[in-house]
Amino acid sequence: MATTLECALSAPKTVKAGEPVEVVFRLTNPTAKPLYVLDWHTPLEGLLNDIFQITRDGTELSYAGPMLKRGNPGADDYVAVAPGASVEGRVNVALAYDFTQPGRYRIAFRGRLMDVATQQAEVPHTLDGFRELPVKCPEVETSVLAP
Amino acid sequence: MSLNPRGRLNWWMGAVASVSLLGACGAPDERAGDALESNETVQDAVAGDVAVKLSVEKSSLAARDNVLVSVTMTNVSSRAVRLLKWNTPVDGLKEDLFKVTANGISAEYNGRHYKWAAPQATDYLNLAPGESVSSKVDLASVYDLSKTGTYDISFASAAHDGVSELSSNSLTVFIEGRPFVSPEAEAAPGTVNAMALSTANCTSSRVTSVTTAFNSAKTYANSAVTYLGGTPSATTRYTTWFGTYSSSGWSTIKTHFTSIKSAFDTKSVIVDCGCTDSAYAYVYKNSPYRIYVCNAFWSAPNTGTDSKAGTLIHEMSHFTVVADTDDHAYGQTAAKNLAKSSPTNARDNADSHEYFAENTPSLP
């Protein structure tokens, strides 16, 4: 499947310790056909898994949010991305990763979409029919300042 | 202020009804007169005069968290205006002033409704041009937020006797479901079942089913530890779920199952039935040993592939202090593929542990 999606992350350059750290995740469909993206493990569904790799001054942070065991997805777990269009998800990563210490934080999306379909009629796929698609989102940096 | 609190009233179907009920009392004329005399220079706010902004400190709330929403009302007009306080949350929430929905379904308002008498001057909140007033309300104490999911929250007081509707931005918040407990009601006690297992928010039939699953999960953990205590080698069961054999890989998995068994045998595990998400279950990695079970759990068999007992193994493996696993792949097919493509990730994958423990169909 010659599909591709472009991914971009953005985050505030600086925040004060204790403030939210809102990361915007944007997927763009550069192809001429609509794509149907399972929102699991992406900020399109919120922060429900350890989807970011985050370091503070080089030390990896542990994830403290929820971890779900899931069965087959439903059709409403997919987000349609029209040709040339983008979809966005915003999450406050400070809810699940410890941003209370001042320092330089690097935030990377772990970099895959669990399932992407090219035909609306195909979705939802069952778990064993997923077509995973890696995406590369350039990582972003945020500095947390002492409050 | 003369209020006639009636508590929860079934006949009161929402804010729209309040207009006709007030009208039926014959109060509006009287009220309008009083209010005008005492507040000649302050006019009732009309649509667009007062901007309402909602905010929450956290956009993802665990069941133990309050759902505190800050409501800031700002007079953005160039004149002084007034609002009826009971259409605002300044004195606490006394009406169904919020629109709270999860996937388009409204959360039930279980808070107070009042039958309001004619307002006095003190029933109005006056706002000078540019002035703001903020207050905080805990929506969890008045709305039924028992469903886990993404909620849209906005302020939506309907028009009451001439004061036009106030509306706000819409907030999106992930809320972990929690049983609705009316502030007046006693908290329902959890059920303590055995030394190690207790339950929360479970009906008695669910307690029975969780207890059976818990005992089967213990059996799974024991069997896995026994199996891994044998001579390490590239067995079909090991390589199917964890990929290419190595003695260090085997030893990692043995350590994981020893911790899982120890947690089931010796820790105070709480199984919480309060989740109504479509998933099987979830945990917070750093909050051992509470396991939230959701809809798919109840339709799963007690043992076998993707069973209740296996789900408990899966969840137990996630806790940082147990095996600190992640979810790299869901389902048997993806777990088998993961074993082939990345044994390292397979050894860190919760479903791989579950399927190894369930061992269905049985592999040597």
Side-chain angles (χ1 to χ4, degrees), chain A residues 20 40-41 45 48-50 62-71 92 95 112 114 127-128, chain B residues 58-60 279-286 306 311 314-315 318 326-328 330 333 351 354:
Chain A
W40 291 4
H41 290 209
E45 67 162 358
L48 298 179
N49 215 285
D50 184 14
S62 67
Y63 168 76
M67 304 286 293
L68 276 84
K69 173 173 166 67
R70 316 198 198 220
N92 172 11
L95 291 174
R112 67 182 179 138
M114 293 190 90
L127 286 174
D128 53 9
Chain B
K58 305 204 288 182
S59 65
S60 177
Y280 282 93
Y282 68 98
V283 296
Y284 292 89
K285 294 186 86 162
N286 296 338
D306 290 316
T311 297
H314 173 122
E315 298 305 330
H318 275 318
D326 291 324
D327 288 315
H328 296 279
Y330 295 113
T333 305
D351 258 357
E354 175 178 341

Side-chain angles (χ1 to χ4, degrees), chain B residues 52-98:
Chain B
V52 184
K53 171 107 171 74
L54 302 186
S55 62
V56 274
E57 279 174 27
K58 305 204 288 182
S59 65
S60 177
L61 297 162
R64 62 182 177 274
D65 294 331
N66 292 333
V67 181
L68 279 180
V69 174
S70 296
V71 182
T72 304
M73 291 168 293
T74 306
N75 178 359
V76 294
S77 78
S78 54
R79 62 200 175 92
V81 295
R82 62 179 195 171
L83 294 166
L84 267 173
K85 284 181 185 169
W86 56 71
N87 288 335
T88 78
V90 290
D91 288 337
L93 201 55
K94 292 173 176 160
E95 285 295 340
D96 184 7
L97 298 179
F98 288 85

